[in-house]
Amino acid sequence: MASIKRIDHVAIAVRDADQATQQYVNLLNAVHIRTEILREKAGPVKVAYLQIGDNVLSLVQSMEADGFINQHISKHGEGLHHLGLEVDNLSEFVQQVEGKGFKIPLRDEFTNRTEVVLRPRDAAGVVLQILEWKGGSDATIEDRIERIRKLQNQPAEP
């Protein structure tokens, strides 16, 4: 049986990732790890990765006017977008969830991870991104930060 290992990150929808990064650095003494453009199936986004204690926070900005983050902001305003949960076996997790009748609207694979997204209606209004890191889990926050610094978040080859 697959199990959730930990909260991998908390993602916050923002209009301006650079401005929001400065707000979190000033407000919480967050440490800026890096900012990059990701090419997700749902559309390109700019993501700023921050460290707060032993946790990773992602500030996510749409790169398209009608992008999924901007759609979220139009409905709900800036704020929590999704919770990233690391699982020990994504294939098993998907089998379990689908076996219970839940739908998985998005599946994506990158060179460094595979992931699925669960609908907010199935999780008390929260989008859940369930992911499995290729090459295994990181043991410490320092390992996680190093992975983010080296991130080559490219779509996997078909």
Side-chain angles (χ1 to χ4, degrees):
M1 177 177 250
S3 62
I4 302 295
K5 295 173 80 167
R6 68 170 167 221
I7 295 173
D8 184 77
H9 64 279
V10 175
I12 297 176
V14 298
R15 288 184 181 87
D16 183 325
D18 296 327
Q19 179 185 16
T21 296
Q22 287 308 307
Q23 286 178 292
Y24 277 87
V25 167
N26 291 333
L27 178 65
L28 301 175
N29 293 322
V31 176
H32 179 242
I33 301 168
R34 81 182 277 188
T35 300
E36 71 167 330
I37 305 293
L38 303 181
R39 284 148 189 71
E40 305 276 342
K41 267 188 184 175
V45 291
K46 183 178 191 177
V47 181
Y49 297 94
L50 305 175
Q51 177 189 357
I52 300 176
D54 287 342
N55 302 292
V56 174
L57 188 68
S58 301
L59 305 174
V60 187
Q61 170 190 333
S62 278
M63 297 305 294
E64 299 174 324
D66 64 343
F68 70 98
I69 294 295
N70 282 344
Q71 291 174 19
H72 176 88
I73 291 171
S74 291
K75 286 183 183 176
H76 309 286
E78 290 182 298
L80 178 67
H81 182 264
H82 70 267
L83 189 60
L85 302 172
E86 183 181 358
V87 68
D88 60 0
N89 186 317
L90 187 61
S91 298
E92 271 185 28
F93 179 85
V94 167
Q95 263 187 321
Q96 290 169 305
V97 167
E98 289 180 330
K100 294 175 183 176
F102 293 100
K103 304 281 187 230
I104 297 176
L106 180 67
R107 300 167 196 249
D108 216 341
E109 185 168 355
F110 299 89
T111 55
N112 61 347
R113 72 180 190 277
T114 54
E115 66 182 49
V116 297
V117 174
L118 303 178
R119 301 178 304 181
R121 73 177 82 152
D122 295 331
V126 177
V127 174
L128 298 177
Q129 174 194 35
I130 312 298
L131 58 98
E132 182 178 0
W133 290 105
K134 295 179 181 177
S137 184
D138 298 317
T140 67
I141 185 64
E142 291 79 15
D143 293 339
R144 293 174 74 204
I145 289 168
E146 188 60 24
R147 183 194 308 252
I148 292 168
R149 285 194 176 118
K150 292 180 178 177
L151 188 63
Q152 297 288 320
N153 199 45
Q154 301 300 316
E157 296 297 321

